Amino acid sequence: MKNLKIFVVSDSVGETGEQVVKAAATQFRPNFDGVIIRRFPHISSDDHIRNIVEIAVMQDAIIAFTLVEKRKRQLMKDLCQQLNIDCIDLLGPVIELFSRKLDEQPLEEPGLVHKLDEDYFKKVEAIEFAVKYDDGRDPRGILLSDVVLIGVSRTSKTPLSQYLAHKRYKVANVPIVPEVEPPEELFQVDPRKCFGLVISPEKLHAIRKERLIALGLSDDAIYAKKDRIEKEIAYFYKVVEKLGCEVIDVTNKAVEETANDIIERLERLKNMS
């Protein structure tokens, strides 16, 4: 039984090339008997390409490559032809076809697919985080978060958490209620990543009344009474003072506007450190 050795050469991680090679190899050796696949990732220089081709000559290997830069693809082809090495360009023909169809030049930037994948999974992770640590349901998330939001009920903590999560920030939010002591974890985080959300008593009164009506309840419940709201806001400011965090008035702000405000503050903080 003949052996088959394939070098997978890439200017990125080489996953794409390896999957194509494996898919083809299984048509001959479903169990990969006698098939050796060696990956050469992050190839960035002409010398790397020359060295790989020389090794392929010594080991009688086939070279399958995914190189986004046209000049490097051509160098690989030329060297393999000179040294009588079988090679296959897995990516070049597709790039060239797309270039002709779009009448555009490719970026020739390695690893873009993986950057997109990484960005997507970070977003999903942040969204799942926001759901898991919403409304103070698990205070352990406070210490793991990028942003902590605190505020009395109906100050847009949850929608703001979700909006920031779509921007890849891990957010935990904690309701502030006079009868409930804030979790200890809240006083252990950097106050600069903690933001208190406040709203005018009049606006909050109207929002809470609408909420009660939507739930089919009486709008004169304690939850919506003005003296109760003023008590909650007064307690909120006591907690904020103890924490030393910034306060954002969300009375007349859309969620997007508040989120952008927070992101700008975080970016300034990052640039200062």
Side-chain angles (χ1 to χ4, degrees):
M1 182 174 67
K2 288 186 176 180
N3 291 335
L4 181 65
K5 180 173 284 190
I6 311 107
F7 289 177
V8 177
V9 182
S10 175
D11 45 22
S12 184
V13 295
E15 246 177 40
T16 302
E18 185 172 1
Q19 289 303 314
V20 173
V21 166
K22 283 182 175 178
T26 54
Q27 296 299 312
F28 302 90
R29 306 287 170 80
N31 297 318
F32 291 100
D33 297 326
V35 177
I36 301 168
I37 300 172
R38 184 178 175 187
R39 197 193 297 189
F40 293 83
H42 304 296
I43 300 305
S44 58
S45 73
D46 294 356
D47 285 340
H48 286 160
I49 293 173
R50 291 189 183 93
N51 291 339
I52 291 165
V53 173
E54 289 173 3
I55 297 169
V57 171
M58 292 186 286
Q59 298 189 14
D60 190 26
I62 294 170
I63 295 178
F65 59 95
T66 56
L67 301 169
V68 297
E69 190 179 334
K70 185 175 182 178
R71 187 187 63 78
K72 285 189 171 63
R73 292 198 301 270
Q74 192 58 53
L75 174 63
M76 176 68 83
K77 292 174 189 175
D78 291 344
L79 290 172
C80 287
Q81 186 176 12
Q82 291 168 17
L83 297 172
N84 199 29
I85 290 293
D86 290 318
C87 73
I88 181 166
D89 182 356
L90 298 174
L91 197 58
V94 181
I95 290 177
E96 289 166 8
L97 174 61
F98 289 0
S99 180
R100 289 196 302 272
K101 193 71 176 177
L102 296 170
D103 194 24
E104 295 177 16
Q105 292 303 309
L107 297 173
E108 296 194 346
E109 184 178 338
L112 288 178
V113 168
H114 296 283
K115 287 179 183 177
L116 288 172
D117 287 345
E118 184 181 351
D119 183 68
Y120 171 77
F121 286 116
K122 280 183 178 178
K123 183 186 293 186
V124 171
E125 184 182 4
I127 292 169
E128 291 175 345
F129 187 97
V131 171
K132 184 175 181 179
Y133 299 111
D134 181 46
D135 207 33
R137 64 183 61 168
D138 186 348
R140 291 175 298 181
I142 294 171
L143 300 176
L144 302 172
S145 62
D146 300 317
V147 181
V148 181
L149 304 176
I150 65 169
V152 301
S153 175
R154 314 311 297 173
T155 49
S156 302
K157 296 186 299 298
T158 296
L160 182 55
S161 295
Q162 285 295 322
Y163 188 92
L164 288 168
H166 277 82
K167 300 294 184 180
R168 298 172 298 284
Y169 289 94
K170 292 181 179 178
V171 186
N173 74 72
V174 182
I176 301 300
V177 185
E179 293 78 17
V180 180
E181 192 71 23
E184 292 181 10
E185 289 85 351
L186 195 56
F187 300 96
Q188 296 171 14
V189 299
D190 185 342
R192 294 175 298 178
K193 73 173 186 178
C194 182
F195 298 90
L197 307 178
V198 72
I199 191 170
S200 73
E202 296 77 20
K203 182 75 171 179
L204 189 54
H205 174 64
I207 291 172
R208 288 190 176 183
K209 285 184 70 173
E210 289 177 8
R211 177 62 175 165
L212 289 171
I213 293 170
L215 293 173
L217 301 172
S218 172
D219 65 358
D220 63 350
I222 293 175
Y223 174 74
K225 288 189 179 296
K226 290 183 177 179
D227 56 349
R228 170 63 188 186
I229 288 171
E230 289 171 357
K231 180 181 177 182
E232 287 186 26
I233 292 176
Y235 180 68
F236 161 82
Y237 276 111
K238 286 182 180 178
V239 174
V240 164
E241 186 177 359
K242 190 174 179 181
L243 288 172
C245 67
E246 294 189 63
V247 175
I248 299 176
D249 190 334
V250 299
T251 303
N252 296 309
K253 282 187 177 180
V255 168
E256 296 87 345
E257 189 179 354
T258 306
N260 290 333
D261 187 357
I262 290 173
I263 291 170
E264 286 176 10
R265 298 184 195 212
L266 292 172
E267 287 299 315
R268 284 201 300 268
L269 178 61
K270 188 189 296 184
N271 294 332
M272 288 169 57
S273 57

